[in-house]
Amino acid sequence: MKRPAPGPRPGRLLMFLPALLLAGCGISPTAPTTAGAPASGALQPGARAHDARLLFVGPTGLRYAARTSTSSISPQEAIDLLLKGPSQAERKRGLTTLVPAMKGRVTAEAGRNGVVDLRLPTTVERLDHAAVSQLVCTAAKARDRDQTKVLVRVHEGRTDRQSGSQIDDTWDVRCDSVGNAYPAAAKHP
């Protein structure tokens, strides 16, 4: 009777197992190669990331989009970014804006005790509620990461029809946790 030829011993298979696994993962046993250019937009080690949280309108309602910066963003800088509209990547995610082009400048200034003064060159009644929320809550989020703590004083410029003089009406507004603006005197909706 002939004995079958001995097969590979289990100890010898274990010796080749790492090479087999690497080959199976698509990793070839080569020497180090040169890398491409360094990553762009990456922060230096130890640098603190800041971001502007801009409120846009998405397919399912109001949505914040983050824009990273190496320094903190003031309410005015956040409003300026908002007024430029969503970036190409944000548009691909379905984000848009309902803030119309306005004659005159929209300004946002951080005041004392967590207050932001937002000055509009138009009246609030001419804006869609989502547009008001976009402006108010973007300014509030730039003032404090918890926008619910911020009181935004909306100053709207209008002209009195009878006298022709400029009137500055002021509205105190707050934001809820998802970015809806509501009158500060009202209970949280």
Side-chain angles (χ1 to χ4, degrees), residues 42-50 69-71:
L43 295 172
Q44 295 295 322
R48 182 170 173 234
H50 299 272
S69 174
T70 55
S71 62

Side-chain angles (χ1 to χ4, degrees), residues 87-107:
S87 68
Q88 183 177 1
E90 292 160 348
R91 285 191 304 275
K92 283 183 180 179
R93 290 184 8 228
L95 300 180
T96 187
T97 184
L98 292 179
V99 178
M102 292 180 256
K103 292 181 180 180
R105 186 158 198 263
V106 177
T107 63

Side-chain angles (χ1 to χ4, degrees), residues 76-90:
Q76 183 63 55
E77 291 167 319
I79 289 295
D80 290 344
L81 288 172
L82 176 71
L83 293 175
K84 288 180 182 177
S87 68
Q88 183 177 1
E90 292 160 348

Side-chain angles (χ1 to χ4, degrees), residues 14-29:
L14 290 176
M15 186 171 77
F16 292 107
L17 187 60
L20 290 171
L21 289 174
L22 287 176
C25 293
I27 301 172
S28 59

Side-chain angles (χ1 to χ4, degrees), residues 9-182:
R9 290 181 272 162
R12 290 184 69 82
L13 276 176
L14 290 176
M15 186 171 77
F16 292 107
L17 187 60
L20 290 171
L21 289 174
L22 287 176
C25 293
I27 301 172
S28 59
T30 61
T33 60
T34 57
S40 63
L43 295 172
Q44 295 295 322
R48 182 170 173 234
H50 299 272
D51 59 5
R53 302 294 239 159
L54 311 177
L55 191 61
F56 290 113
V57 179
T60 59
L62 295 166
R63 295 287 174 256
Y64 280 103
R67 303 257 182 102
T68 303
S69 174
T70 55
S71 62
S72 62
I73 303 291
S74 71
Q76 183 63 55
E77 291 167 319
I79 289 295
D80 290 344
L81 288 172
L82 176 71
L83 293 175
K84 288 180 182 177
S87 68
Q88 183 177 1
E90 292 160 348
R91 285 191 304 275
K92 283 183 180 179
R93 290 184 8 228
L95 300 180
T96 187
T97 184
L98 292 179
V99 178
M102 292 180 256
K103 292 181 180 180
R105 186 158 198 263
V106 177
T107 63
E109 184 180 355
R112 292 178 183 223
N113 302 321
V115 173
V116 172
D117 285 296
L118 180 66
R119 297 186 190 289
L120 303 176
T122 188
T123 59
V124 171
E125 70 182 7
R126 291 186 178 185
L127 300 175
D128 185 280
H129 181 281
V132 174
S133 292
Q134 283 184 261
L135 291 162
V136 168
C137 297
T138 294
K141 193 77 157 173
R143 182 73 167 116
D144 191 310
R145 291 195 67 81
D146 182 359
Q147 74 269 16
T148 63
K149 296 179 179 179
V150 179
L151 177 68
V152 179
R153 288 199 176 110
V154 179
H155 304 266
E156 55 180 15
R158 66 180 179 90
T159 305
D160 181 51
R161 290 182 181 165
Q162 291 180 351
S163 68
S165 62
Q166 191 67 22
I167 298 172
D168 180 18
D169 286 331
T170 303
W171 305 88
D172 287 347
V173 183
R174 291 198 181 274
C175 293
D176 66 14
S177 61
V178 294
N180 291 299
Y182 64 94

